[in-house]
Amino acid sequence: RKCFYSDGLILGGVTVPQTFLSGRGRGGELQFKSRFGRPSPKLLSTHAVATPSPFCARMGIMTALVAHKLWTREEREVLEKSGLVDPRRYELLEGELVEKMPKNILHVRSMVLLMKWLISLFDAECIAQESPIDVSPEDNPTSEPVPDAIVLTQSIRTVTSQIRASQLQIVFEVSDSSLAIDLGSKAKLYARGNIPEYWVLDVDKRRVIIHRRPVNGEYRSIEVFAERESVATLARPDSPVEAAELFG
């Protein structure tokens, strides 16, 4: 048994109540990870404030805090309501609060060109940008990804709650500094949600990485297309575009 109890978390000088320590990572170190996979330089690392239990104190036992705190949607919402986390700057991925990096001109350009192409293929009411989505029921408590773009199977007018994975035809991520996360944890989340098609636009190498055929939580088909190759969606196979057109 652990020989300490926690009085709370110190986050930027604010004490967060004991309730945040329930579940995985109880009484341990907490870090906000950036999309580079490093602790965010803009938020202080936080630690549980541990006090030896009376028994441990009598026995002279010193304790160490080593557990890593993973967040749930419910806990993140409490942080947001208290003003400790700006929901526009972070997304929840497999229990980690991941910082969204500022978008450079290459990212912005690709997003504009991608949206232009999608609108030429699909009803505009089926396309959305930066909308939080549900994934698999097992992942939803600790994940709420926000893709750069999505194509729905129906008009957004008919969607009455948060968008579900079953309502998605395609998910897109435009990647520069976020490439490792987009090809890693996000690809796993989308595959486990059985999203049939997932595109990653790698703006640095000017290539498109297309994931298809989700089976047992992973994409069985992953193809890489160079900028001079043509790509097309499963829903519109007769309307290809040269990959370079998505990068400008």
Side-chain angles (χ1 to χ4, degrees), residues 97-113:
L97 284 172
V98 180
E99 184 181 16
K100 300 176 185 177
M101 292 292 102
K103 297 175 175 59
N104 60 32
I105 188 59
L106 297 179
H107 186 288
V108 173
R109 181 190 300 154
S110 284
M111 275 301 302
V112 170
L113 297 173

Side-chain angles (χ1 to χ4, degrees), residues 21-79:
L21 299 179
S22 61
R24 291 179 292 175
R26 181 182 179 88
E29 182 179 0
L30 175 155
Q31 291 182 334
F32 289 83
K33 296 181 74 175
S34 74
R35 298 190 82 171
F36 293 110
R38 301 191 296 266
S40 168
K42 297 180 181 178
L43 283 178
L44 297 177
S45 294
T46 60
H47 303 265
V49 181
T51 306
S53 68
F55 171 78
C56 289
R58 289 197 301 272
M59 299 297 293
I61 299 173
M62 301 299 292
T63 60
L65 302 180
V66 295
H68 182 67
K69 170 66 182 172
L70 296 178
W71 295 96
T72 66
R73 285 192 189 188
E74 182 180 1
E75 292 170 335
R76 186 208 53 193
E77 288 171 2
V78 174
L79 286 176

Side-chain angles (χ1 to χ4, degrees), residues 10-228:
I10 302 298
L11 176 59
V14 179
T15 300
V16 182
Q18 163 71 22
T19 53
F20 286 101
L21 299 179
S22 61
R24 291 179 292 175
R26 181 182 179 88
E29 182 179 0
L30 175 155
Q31 291 182 334
F32 289 83
K33 296 181 74 175
S34 74
R35 298 190 82 171
F36 293 110
R38 301 191 296 266
S40 168
K42 297 180 181 178
L43 283 178
L44 297 177
S45 294
T46 60
H47 303 265
V49 181
T51 306
S53 68
F55 171 78
C56 289
R58 289 197 301 272
M59 299 297 293
I61 299 173
M62 301 299 292
T63 60
L65 302 180
V66 295
H68 182 67
K69 170 66 182 172
L70 296 178
W71 295 96
T72 66
R73 285 192 189 188
E74 182 180 1
E75 292 170 335
R76 186 208 53 193
E77 288 171 2
V78 174
L79 286 176
E80 291 172 357
K81 289 177 181 178
S82 66
L84 296 174
V85 169
D86 183 348
R88 297 168 298 180
R89 292 181 53 201
Y90 293 89
E91 59 185 323
L92 185 64
L93 302 176
E94 298 183 316
E96 304 283 2
L97 284 172
V98 180
E99 184 181 16
K100 300 176 185 177
M101 292 292 102
K103 297 175 175 59
N104 60 32
I105 188 59
L106 297 179
H107 186 288
V108 173
R109 181 190 300 154
S110 284
M111 275 301 302
V112 170
L113 297 173
L114 173 63
M115 295 304 292
K116 177 183 176 182
W117 179 59
L118 291 177
I119 291 171
S120 73
L121 299 180
F122 301 96
D123 187 329
E125 292 186 359
C126 294
I127 303 167
Q129 289 181 258
E130 297 189 337
S131 174
I133 64 171
D134 283 347
V135 278
S136 70
E138 295 77 16
D139 286 316
N140 282 334
T142 56
S143 295
E144 191 177 34
V146 184
D148 284 317
I150 57 176
V151 178
L152 292 156
T153 58
Q154 62 199 85
S155 168
I156 193 66
R157 293 175 185 269
T158 65
V159 178
T160 57
S161 59
Q162 179 148 303
I163 296 168
R164 303 188 303 274
S166 60
Q167 296 171 312
L168 296 169
Q169 293 187 63
I170 320 170
V171 167
F172 296 88
E173 297 287 358
V174 177
S175 301
D176 38 65
S177 59
S178 65
L179 186 63
I181 287 177
D182 294 336
L183 295 178
S185 59
K186 281 199 168 183
K188 294 176 184 176
L189 287 171
Y190 298 152
R192 292 196 294 265
N194 285 315
I195 296 172
E197 193 166 6
Y198 169 43
W199 291 37
V200 176
L201 276 62
D202 180 356
V203 298
D204 289 333
K205 295 185 178 179
R206 296 176 65 85
R207 59 180 182 165
V208 179
I209 306 166
I210 300 179
H211 303 67
R212 291 171 174 150
R213 294 178 54 219
V215 177
N216 296 327
E218 62 182 33
Y219 285 105
R220 295 298 176 88
S221 172
I222 302 175
E223 296 181 276
V224 181
F225 296 86
E227 62 178 320
R228 294 305 172 190

